[in-house]
Amino acid sequence: MMEERRMVTTLLLLVLGQITTALEVPLDLSQPPTITHQSPKDYIIDPRENIIIHCEAKGKPHPSFSWTRDGTHFDIDQFPNVNMRPRSGTLVVDISHEKAEHYEGTYQCTARNDHGTAISHNIVVRQSRSPLWSKEKIKPIVVQEGVPLVLPCRPPAGLPPPIIFWMDNNFQRLPQSRRVSQSLNGDLYFSNVLRTDSRNDYICYARFPHTQTIQQKQPITVKVLNLDAINDTVAAFYNDTDLFSEEPADKRRPTFLTPSGPSSSKMVLRGQVLEMECIAEGLPTPEISWTKVSGELPGERTSFLHYQKTLRIVNVSEADAGEYRCEARNPLGSVHHTIHVTVKAAPYWISGAPKNLILAPGENGALTCRASGTPKPSISWAMNGVPIENSPSDMSRKVDDDTIIFTNVQTGSKAVYQCNVSNEYGYLLSNAFVNVLSEPPRVLTPAHQVYQVIRNHHALLDCSSFGSPIPEITWFKDSRASTLNSDPYKVYDNGTLEIQGVQTKHSGKYTCVATNMLGISENHVYLEVKEPTRILKQPEYRVVQRGRAAVFACKVKHDPTLTPTMTWLKDDDELPDDDRLIVDSDSLTITDVNDNDAGVYTCIMNTSLDHDSASAVMSLSESPDPPTDLELTDPKKRSVHLTWTPGNENNSPIEKFIIQYEDSLHHKGHWHNLTEVSGMKTTAHLKLSPHGHYIFRVLALNGVGLSQPSLPSRMYKTEPAAPDENPTDVHGQGTEHDNLVISWKPLTPTQANGPGLKYRVSWRQKGVHNDWVTATVHNASKFVVSGTPTFVPYELKVQAVNDHGAGPQPAISHGYSGEDLPLAAPDNVQVQVISSTQAAVHWEAVPTRLLRGHLKGYRVYYWREQSLHKHSHHHTEKQVLTFSGNHTHGKLPGLHPFSQYALHIRAFNGKGEGPPSSIQMFETPEGVPDAPSSLAVTDSNVDSLTLEWSPPHGHNGHIIGYTLKYQPVNNTHELGPLEELALPPNETSVTLLNLKYSTRYKFYLNAKTMVGAGPAISQEAVTIMDKAVASRQVDIATQGWFIGLMCAIALLILILLIICFIQRNKGGKYPVKEKEDAHTDPEFQPMKEEDCTFGEYSDNEDHKPLKGSRSPSNGTVKREDSDDSLVDYGEGGDGQFNEDGSFIGQYSGKSGSRDNPDGPESSEAPSPVKAMNSLNSFV
């Protein structure tokens, strides 16, 4: 908003300045000369370049030019190297054959025509100079450490004066500070020297800016030594005498090295720069401060340079005169110096230079030359370059000091008047002409000009005109119903129309009319009012962690007819060229933020008429600085108060403080967390243990992370005491059948509360009225009691004791002495067969008195003795199921049908297993058989196939026959009617007759017992082709028309391939959908039901139900229904049951691939069908 106001103010000042500018005469009208451009009064030239002395002027007729040099006429024709530019007075001096210094001097240009003469100011031409340093031999400077030192520079005088700086041999600037600094005259001052100031390359450089040359002084060597070193190593060079006899430099109060004395004076000209310096020596190094005795320092124009040693005031005014005081201070005292400043002034205009005067015949006017200066300047007038007192008299002219008054002027009064204002510090020279004209009005502003203004701003519509007498300007809007001369309209003397606070209703056509006694002229302009540019969503303050991303939003609304341009700045400068900074249409994103990204980000939206801007600061958040100033207060036996001072939060609030301790007595070098407090607190009450040597430190935590630890506090020691607690986790159990091992978790050194820690262990048999037996142990965590009875309960106690007493009365724990193997086996074992693969077993638990330990469970060992089939083998591999806890029944899964089994049971405790129970025998009934071992087609004819197979490996009972099912399969993998054939058990082959030629068939074969049919095995085969049909097909293939058709198809395919290849090379694209359809797996292609009467068939989907096939009545073996719970099953092998009998193991058995007519499956792909055979179909 401030920038908008500043822009509007600048615009108004610019226009108002134009309003008050002198009236310009169009160049098509006669007028005296006017100087439009000239070289500066003090003109320093580069001797390597041609000299160009400018003098440009305008007038009607165009003026001619002449020059004077050092007060005499300068005839350029006498100087072949000097040329004057055409229609110009500018001189060009070619110095390629002559030195530039030959043309030094004071030049003045004169421009004249029939109506008068104008002259330039004096132009003093001087050649820039950059002389070399005079040859000199500089001796090394040897000084005592701590004393002041001044290294002189004394550069050669140049034009303009050189810029001074100090560097070393490597062209690196010498470091400066409060102790070491450069003065205004270029000397290098040391308030006190240090040993580190010793070096041999103190080099003063002078840079002459006009010629861009640098001159170098000889290097200065400085050696800083202490008193002993000076006497030992340097005295030999001075006739073996001590260079210094006084003591080494001590601390001292400040004194000024420059300026000297208590006061000084300085004169400065108005508008120039005032620089004052005070450089002091002392030890420690003094600090410099400045004050103005007679008032305040001008804040906006004041700056301090060279570490406060130089006071600089720019654009000096008379108000800056007075007394200034500089003060040097260090801990030993202070000193001050007063500088009296006087301000003089070269002449300067009070209300501007005299302006050209344009009058009609008979009019009156005046030229004013009003200036000031210190001392007061004198004013002189000239006409056409001649002192006015020597000019022809004119009755219409009267000179009155700084004003010339004209009355009833006539055409002959045309002339150019010069006003010269001067004092001892300078002069002002100005030309102003008087032109007498009679001209009707003319509007100079271009016709139909369009002004665009932002709503609520000021509009300034120009109506620049000329006429003599001066025309009167009148403005109208749209129609000429009324003049625009009231709010919000204002008409200035130069014709400009101002509209304040422009609104949309002010848009339209405006007419300005210029009128004088000689005529009238008008012009039309147009005003368009635009909506202001506004930032709707400004960037907001961001606190970002290093490595994260920051986003600044900048959403803008602007007039739709204006084109906006968004610019982002960082710290009022362009954004760095970094790929991490991403500028979008309405945001700036900074990724992977680092330390250099912190700063002020400004969004600027510019249009051709206005702009808006908004800024936001981004700060980086870091983990906090560590706390400081740790202090311990309120010490007690077992506590102390800790206070601290928080460190810097680093833009993220501290959430909490973590107090850590180190016990150097017990865990030296190890820090442990003691407590935490809120981030709002700076104190904590710390509870401590006896007999500790504590050191504390504090860490701060904020949203970024933990700070570094604070510096440790002082050590705090607590006195020893008896233990406050006893060992925990007291257990008693035996490792042998006649012992008891008592174990516990020992106390830590901190829990011991003092030296001499030991344990008092007590025990007694539970339920027996015996006294406690006690033993004391050191540095142990268990104790073994021997000679105990087997597996009896005990009561246990363990108490901590140290040199300062015993701990509290311990709690009683319980345990058992050692276990031994169970003495008895489970009794009354019974087996109940549930199905051909499952049996249930029951037993009676072993009495507790015979377990001699904690019962862990029962293990059932069972094995398959033999199969009941007459050709079976004997099996002896044992299996085991574990039933955890006090179970007395379980189930045996995964048994083989038609087999004989045996089992026995053992109880087990923590020591091991007891004796086995008696062996129980049981048999499993018949089940369904396995699938036949193999199925193959051994003979294939036109209308018959022969199949052979092998019996199942697992009969699981008596095989009573086989079932063979088969059905045809066409080329679309659809199945035909299913045929079924029953076969006797002793058959292993069959021949199927009356089959169709050249047809694929699928076969399913399974065996069956009295229980039911087993899983099926499948196979496929194709009958061979009939010779007559094959012959007819061959005959067709040899026909000419058929061969021609095939050739035409092949040619067409070839042409299509060539077209596709050309399109592909051209980058042709195919629709994705077509490509997907072209590559779809044939298995997933849909088939309409009406395409064929057969169900779908896929050789990879044999186990899925076949569409259109019939399910055999006994083709599937179903598991028998069971209401048994899983808790009845033991674990096979490593399986386990929980104590409540829940099943946590898994019984696994071998399983094969089972095929049946309801879900046929084939492991190999069908044989390919020849192309000609594809013409065949099922009848």
Side-chain angles (χ1 to χ4, degrees):
M1 193 64 182
M2 291 298 297
E3 291 188 4
E4 283 187 6
R5 292 177 180 173
R6 194 177 298 115
M7 184 181 70
V8 171
T9 302
T10 304
L11 182 61
L12 285 174
L13 290 176
L14 178 62
V15 174
L16 293 177
Q18 295 174 348
I19 290 172
T20 58
T21 301
L23 190 64
E24 292 289 333
V25 181
L27 285 177
D28 61 341
L29 300 178
S30 62
Q31 56 184 295
T34 301
I35 301 288
T36 58
H37 179 55
Q38 56 188 322
S39 293
K41 294 178 180 179
D42 192 8
Y43 187 25
I44 300 175
I45 61 173
D46 189 334
R48 299 167 299 183
E49 298 177 355
N50 290 341
I51 303 171
I52 301 176
I53 309 175
H54 292 280
C55 181
E56 305 289 343
K58 67 178 181 176
K60 182 71 174 182
H62 192 74
S64 61
F65 297 88
S66 62
W67 284 87
T68 63
R69 178 184 176 188
D70 296 332
T72 61
H73 177 65
F74 182 62
D75 188 357
I76 63 174
D77 295 333
Q78 300 298 321
F79 297 89
N81 295 332
V82 180
N83 293 303
M84 185 182 295
R85 290 175 177 172
R87 294 181 61 82
S88 168
T90 298
L91 298 180
V92 179
V93 182
D94 184 1
I95 63 170
S96 59
H97 303 292
E98 199 168 359
K99 292 185 178 180
E101 62 185 18
H102 293 165
Y103 294 94
E104 291 183 325
T106 302
Y107 292 80
Q108 189 171 37
C109 172
T110 300
R112 58 173 54 86
N113 66 8
D114 298 340
H115 306 295
T117 301
I119 61 175
S120 71
H121 53 227
N122 289 332
I123 303 171
V124 180
V125 177
R126 294 186 293 171
Q127 173 186 324
S128 64
R129 290 175 173 81
S130 51
L132 297 175
W133 246 292
S134 60
K135 295 292 184 180
E136 60 178 335
K137 184 177 181 180
I138 303 176
K139 294 181 180 180
I141 300 175
V142 182
V143 294
Q144 179 186 1
E145 185 176 10
V147 302
L149 177 64
V150 181
L151 300 184
C153 180
R154 302 191 186 99
L159 186 67
I163 299 171
I164 306 301
F165 51 93
W166 289 79
M167 302 180 76
D168 59 16
N169 278 330
N170 297 321
F171 299 101
Q172 300 296 316
R173 285 188 179 269
L174 295 174
Q176 298 190 22
S177 62
R178 285 195 306 112
R179 186 179 63 84
V180 182
S181 61
Q182 178 182 314
S183 66
L184 293 176
N185 68 355
D187 294 345
L188 191 63
Y189 281 79
F190 295 78
S191 295
N192 50 78
V193 293
L194 303 176
R195 295 287 297 276
T196 55
D197 294 326
S198 296
R199 61 191 308 154
N200 59 4
D201 58 350
Y202 285 95
I203 306 173
C204 182
Y205 289 85
R207 181 168 67 86
F208 297 89
H210 213 80
T211 58
Q212 294 299 316
T213 58
I214 297 178
Q215 305 292 350
Q216 172 185 336
K217 184 182 178 72
Q218 290 294 320
I220 301 175
T221 298
V222 174
K223 296 182 180 179
V224 181
L225 304 174
N226 59 29
L227 183 60
D228 294 337
I230 292 175
N231 289 331
D232 293 343
T233 63
V234 181
F237 297 98
Y238 299 91
N239 299 322
D240 294 328
T241 60
D242 287 349
L243 185 62
F244 298 107
S245 59
E246 68 272 12
E247 294 297 322
D250 292 328
K251 294 182 179 180
R252 60 189 179 277
R253 60 182 299 166
T255 58
F256 282 112
L257 297 174
T258 185
S260 58
S263 64
S264 59
S265 61
K266 192 173 184 67
M267 190 275 291
V268 64
L269 291 179
R270 178 183 182 273
Q272 293 186 348
V273 177
L274 170 63
E275 288 185 325
M276 299 174 284
E277 70 176 353
C278 287
I279 302 177
E281 65 91 8
L283 193 66
T285 302
E287 293 186 1
I288 306 296
S289 61
W290 291 86
T291 56
K292 186 178 182 183
V293 178
S294 55
E296 297 292 333
L297 292 173
E300 293 184 356
R301 296 183 290 114
T302 302
S303 59
F304 300 95
L305 309 175
H306 305 138
Y307 302 93
Q308 297 285 113
K309 298 175 186 179
T310 302
L311 171 63
R312 190 170 192 262
I313 301 175
V314 299
N315 193 21
V316 171
S317 67
E318 288 83 351
D320 295 325
E323 291 187 351
Y324 293 81
R325 175 176 294 179
C326 65
E327 182 181 44
R329 178 182 297 274
N330 72 5
L332 278 71
S334 64
V335 63
H336 66 267
H337 181 92
T338 302
I339 303 174
H340 182 75
V341 175
T342 58
V343 178
K344 301 294 184 179
Y348 59 92
W349 300 114
I350 295 177
S351 57
K355 299 176 178 59
N356 294 332
L357 189 60
I358 302 170
L359 300 173
E363 285 190 324
N364 304 327
L367 291 177
T368 302
C369 181
R370 192 155 297 157
S372 182
T374 306
K376 183 178 180 180
S378 60
I379 299 175
S380 62
W381 288 93
M383 185 183 79
N384 295 328
V386 178
I388 199 165
E389 56 269 18
N390 298 331
S391 300
S393 62
D394 186 348
M395 299 302 295
S396 64
R397 181 184 68 216
K398 178 183 178 182
V399 178
D400 184 8
D401 191 19
D402 61 358
T403 303
I404 300 178
I405 302 171
F406 297 92
T407 307
N408 192 23
V409 296
Q410 301 301 318
T411 305
S413 299
K414 293 180 180 181
V416 180
Y417 291 86
Q418 288 81 35
C419 170
N420 190 315
V421 185
S422 62
N423 66 10
E424 59 185 291
Y425 299 110
Y427 73 94
L428 295 172
L429 177 64
S430 178
N431 293 276
F433 66 68
V434 175
N435 200 6
V436 181
L437 295 172
S438 294
E439 285 292 326
R442 65 172 78 176
V443 177
L444 304 179
T445 300
H448 306 294
Q449 188 168 345
V450 178
Y451 293 87
Q452 294 181 332
V453 181
I454 298 297
R455 182 168 54 83
N456 293 325
H457 286 205
H458 295 299
L460 295 167
L461 309 185
D462 187 26
C463 186
S464 176
S465 65
F466 181 79
S468 184
I470 296 176
E472 179 184 356
I473 305 297
T474 308
W475 281 91
F476 302 93
K477 182 179 185 298
D478 298 331
S479 65
R480 300 192 180 186
S482 61
T483 59
L484 304 177
N485 54 11
S486 60
D487 285 342
Y489 302 101
K490 180 180 181 181
V491 180
Y492 289 92
D493 291 341
N494 70 343
T496 297
L497 173 67
E498 179 185 7
I499 309 174
Q500 299 180 351
V502 172
Q503 300 299 319
T504 306
K505 66 182 180 179
H506 294 134
S507 298
K509 174 183 175 183
Y510 289 79
T511 303
C512 95
V513 179
T515 308
N516 70 6
M517 59 187 298
L518 300 177
I520 185 171
S521 178
E522 66 178 36
N523 187 33
H524 305 290
V525 296
Y526 300 89
L527 177 64
E528 295 179 356
V529 180
K530 306 293 184 180
E531 289 299 314
T533 301
R534 289 291 179 265
I535 295 179
L536 302 179
K537 185 174 182 181
Q538 300 184 358
E540 297 177 349
Y541 174 71
R542 290 282 184 269
V543 177
V544 187
Q545 295 183 26
R546 189 182 290 103
R548 300 286 183 88
V551 178
F552 290 105
C554 187
K555 293 187 177 180
V556 182
K557 179 183 178 182
H558 61 88
D559 191 284
T561 63
L562 300 178
T563 302
T565 302
M566 179 177 287
T567 304
W568 284 91
L569 303 178
K570 179 182 183 293
D571 298 330
D572 294 330
D573 203 353
E574 292 183 359
L575 289 178
D577 186 11
D578 194 331
D579 293 339
R580 298 180 302 105
L581 277 65
I582 303 170
V583 178
D584 293 325
S585 59
D586 56 1
S587 67
L588 168 65
T589 302
I590 307 172
T591 62
D592 191 18
V593 170
N594 59 41
D595 294 339
N596 296 329
D597 296 327
V600 179
Y601 289 84
T602 304
C603 164
I604 304 176
M605 181 60 72
N606 290 295
T607 67
S608 57
L609 297 181
D610 70 338
H611 77 280
D612 195 11
S613 64
S615 299
V617 176
M618 184 176 76
S619 302
L620 263 66
S621 61
E622 300 179 285
S623 55
D625 293 344
T628 58
D629 304 328
L630 271 66
E631 184 177 354
L632 298 175
T633 58
D634 193 20
K636 294 182 179 179
K637 288 185 177 182
R638 298 197 179 195
S639 68
V640 69
H641 268 84
L642 174 66
T643 59
W644 61 88
T645 301
N648 194 324
E649 294 182 344
N650 292 329
N651 297 315
S652 179
I654 295 177
E655 299 173 1
K656 63 181 177 181
F657 293 99
I658 300 172
I659 296 92
Q660 296 181 334
Y661 73 92
E662 174 194 338
D663 186 351
S664 59
L665 182 63
H666 301 112
H667 298 96
K668 186 174 180 60
H670 296 276
W671 289 91
H672 308 275
N673 288 349
L674 179 59
T675 187
E676 298 177 357
V677 297
S678 165
M680 305 297 293
K681 295 184 177 181
T682 58
T683 182
H685 180 71
L686 307 181
K687 295 182 180 180
L688 309 176
S689 297
H691 193 49
H693 293 178
Y694 292 97
I695 299 175
F696 304 100
R697 69 183 186 184
V698 183
L699 296 86
L701 176 70
N702 64 6
V704 180
L706 275 173
S707 70
Q708 292 294 318
S710 68
L711 294 176
S713 69
R714 63 180 176 86
M715 182 178 290
Y716 183 72
K717 298 181 179 180
T718 55
E719 297 297 326
D724 293 325
E725 54 186 311
N726 290 311
T728 56
D729 294 336
V730 178
H731 295 285
Q733 61 182 17
T735 57
E736 300 294 338
H737 67 89
D738 59 351
N739 74 2
L740 172 65
V741 179
I742 305 173
S743 62
W744 60 91
K745 181 180 179 182
L747 299 183
T748 64
T750 302
Q751 293 171 321
N753 286 2
L757 177 65
K758 48 187 173 291
Y759 299 100
R760 188 177 295 158
V761 183
S762 303
W763 68 93
R764 68 182 179 185
Q765 188 172 339
K766 186 178 181 181
V768 179
H769 299 290
N770 292 338
D771 293 333
W772 289 94
V773 181
T774 302
T776 302
V777 297
H778 300 263
N779 299 322
S781 60
K782 66 179 180 178
F783 179 76
V784 180
V785 180
S786 302
T788 62
T790 301
F791 195 64
V792 294
Y794 278 87
E795 293 180 328
L796 316 170
K797 293 191 300 183
V798 180
Q799 186 179 30
V801 181
N802 66 14
D803 293 346
H804 292 267
Q809 187 64 31
I812 296 177
S813 301
H814 298 87
Y816 279 84
S817 59
E819 295 181 279
D820 207 345
L821 297 178
L823 293 176
D827 198 7
N828 196 21
V829 177
Q830 297 180 3
V831 179
Q832 179 184 359
V833 176
I834 299 175
S835 68
S836 61
T837 59
Q838 188 181 73
V841 59
H842 299 264
W843 64 89
E844 290 183 359
V846 176
T848 303
R849 58 185 176 80
L850 300 178
L851 287 173
R852 296 203 296 180
H854 297 288
L855 176 65
K856 300 295 185 181
Y858 293 90
R859 292 193 178 104
V860 178
Y861 292 86
Y862 64 101
W863 58 95
R864 185 184 181 194
E865 287 283 349
Q866 63 179 358
S867 172
L868 298 180
H869 192 268
K870 61 181 178 179
H871 300 297
S872 68
H873 301 285
H874 188 72
H875 302 274
T876 59
E877 181 182 356
K878 289 187 178 182
Q879 293 176 278
V880 59
L881 285 178
T882 300
F883 297 88
S884 302
N886 193 21
H887 267 68
T888 58
H889 61 88
K891 290 185 178 180
L892 308 180
L895 303 179
H896 290 277
F898 205 52
S899 300
Q900 185 180 56
Y901 279 88
L903 66 79
H904 67 253
I905 304 175
R906 294 173 181 261
F908 66 97
N909 59 18
K911 191 70 173 178
E913 294 181 350
S917 66
S918 58
I919 294 177
Q920 297 294 318
M921 307 294 292
F922 65 95
E923 295 180 356
T924 56
E926 287 190 60
V928 297
D930 295 345
S933 301
S934 64
L935 175 63
V937 177
T938 59
D939 189 15
S940 178
N941 294 303
V942 174
D943 59 352
S944 66
L945 292 171
T946 299
L947 283 74
E948 292 186 0
W949 63 89
S950 301
H953 287 300
H955 286 211
N956 297 339
H958 298 289
I959 301 296
I960 61 173
Y962 295 93
T963 300
L964 176 64
K965 299 178 182 179
Y966 60 95
Q967 57 189 147
V969 182
N970 67 7
N971 292 324
T972 59
H973 303 295
E974 292 184 337
L975 301 175
L978 185 67
E979 302 292 337
E980 183 174 330
L981 182 63
L983 302 171
N986 55 349
E987 291 287 341
T988 59
S989 65
V990 67
T991 299
L992 300 177
L993 304 175
N994 300 321
L995 302 179
K996 296 179 181 180
Y997 65 86
S998 187
T999 301
R1000 177 181 298 277
Y1001 284 89
K1002 188 160 187 176
F1003 303 94
Y1004 316 96
L1005 178 70
N1006 56 7
K1008 56 185 177 180
T1009 64
M1010 294 298 295
V1011 175
I1017 184 174
S1018 65
Q1019 185 58 272
E1020 292 186 11
V1022 180
T1023 56
I1024 64 176
M1025 183 182 296
D1026 183 71
K1027 294 181 179 181
V1029 174
S1031 175
R1032 289 196 301 272
Q1033 291 172 349
V1034 171
D1035 291 342
I1036 294 174
T1038 58
Q1039 296 298 312
W1041 65 268
F1042 184 76
I1043 294 174
L1045 178 61
M1046 293 298 103
C1047 291
I1049 293 174
L1051 180 60
L1052 179 60
I1053 292 174
L1054 179 60
I1055 293 172
L1056 291 175
L1057 289 175
I1058 292 173
I1059 293 174
C1060 290
F1061 180 79
I1062 293 173
Q1063 290 294 329
R1064 184 176 184 88
N1065 287 344
K1066 288 183 177 179
K1069 298 180 180 178
Y1070 297 92
V1072 175
K1073 176 62 179 173
E1074 294 178 10
K1075 296 176 70 176
E1076 290 177 349
D1077 293 344
H1079 293 84
T1080 304
D1081 192 331
E1083 291 184 19
F1084 296 95
Q1085 294 291 338
M1087 178 176 289
K1088 297 181 180 180
E1089 293 289 342
E1090 61 271 21
D1091 289 346
C1092 187
T1093 57
F1094 297 98
E1096 297 181 6
Y1097 168 77
S1098 172
D1099 56 8
N1100 292 327
E1101 300 287 341
D1102 290 343
H1103 283 296
K1104 297 181 180 179
L1106 297 176
K1107 182 177 179 181
S1109 65
R1110 294 171 293 172
S1111 299
S1113 59
N1114 57 350
T1116 302
V1117 178
K1118 296 184 179 180
R1119 179 184 295 180
E1120 297 181 14
D1121 295 336
S1122 174
D1123 295 329
D1124 297 335
S1125 170
L1126 288 177
V1127 299
D1128 293 329
Y1129 292 92
E1131 299 93 12
D1134 296 331
Q1136 293 290 325
F1137 274 86
N1138 290 332
E1139 292 186 1
D1140 61 354
S1142 59
F1143 184 74
I1144 61 173
Q1146 182 178 354
Y1147 173 79
S1148 62
K1150 296 182 180 180
S1151 62
S1153 175
R1154 300 183 179 182
D1155 296 339
N1156 57 66
D1158 290 334
E1161 179 177 358
S1162 174
S1163 61
E1164 58 184 41
S1167 300
V1169 180
K1170 297 181 181 180
M1172 295 306 300
N1173 293 341
S1174 64
L1175 299 175
N1176 299 323
S1177 60
F1178 295 115
V1179 178

